[in-house]
Amino acid sequence: QVQLVESGGGLVQAGGSLRLSCAASGLTFAHYAMAWFRQAPGKEREFVAGISWMTGTTTDYADSVKGRFAISRDNAKNAVYLQMYTLKLEDTAVYYCAASSGGLIRSTYGNDYWGQGTQVTVSS
């Protein structure tokens, strides 16, 4: 029973910061690449950030968040994080954590497991 549980979402003012966490269980965490996706109202789910398996030496970011968001992992805690800085109104979305046994995958079809999502709302 693999579970990915996101936390840390909430309401934040534009320009502010927020850190999302994803706690994994039921899998050999270090063997999975991890990623964050998001889905805003009326839009398709989109890739946000990814980190490679094991020590996470490779990271990948959507152009819209480069320089503002940082993904990291702590294998000892079976957790992946998304530190978000300088949040914008357009960052408002439900954020999902995903795990992949096939490396860094930007597509929603290539990931093995998904969390239930956590809401991030950026206000003016």
Side-chain angles (χ1 to χ4, degrees):
Q1 42 184 337
V2 175
Q3 285 192 317
L4 301 179
V5 181
E6 302 96 333
S7 63
L11 177 65
V12 64
Q13 290 187 337
S17 303
L18 204 62
R19 189 178 81 153
L20 305 183
S21 298
C22 174
S25 61
L27 77 171
T28 304
F29 182 74
H31 291 176
Y32 287 79
M34 301 296 296
W36 289 93
F37 290 76
R38 68 186 182 187
Q39 186 167 22
K43 296 184 178 180
E44 298 294 321
R45 186 176 298 188
E46 65 176 356
F47 170 81
V48 176
I51 187 166
S52 60
W53 73 325
M54 300 303 287
T55 57
T57 54
T58 301
T59 57
D60 189 23
Y61 298 93
D63 289 341
S64 60
V65 305
K66 283 183 178 178
R68 297 191 299 118
F69 290 11
I71 188 171
S72 61
R73 68 188 299 155
D74 187 339
N75 294 335
K77 296 181 178 180
N78 282 11
V80 63
Y81 308 97
L82 184 67
Q83 180 65 59
M84 304 183 292
Y85 300 102
T86 319
L87 284 161
K88 303 175 180 179
L89 293 177
E90 52 263 44
D91 292 321
T92 295
V94 176
Y95 284 71
Y96 298 90
C97 176
S100 171
S101 61
L104 287 173
I105 299 175
R106 284 172 163 251
S107 172
T108 59
Y109 303 107
N111 293 279
D112 301 307
Y113 306 106
W114 294 86
Q116 83 292 337
T118 185
Q119 176 72 48
V120 172
T121 302
V122 183
S123 67
S124 60

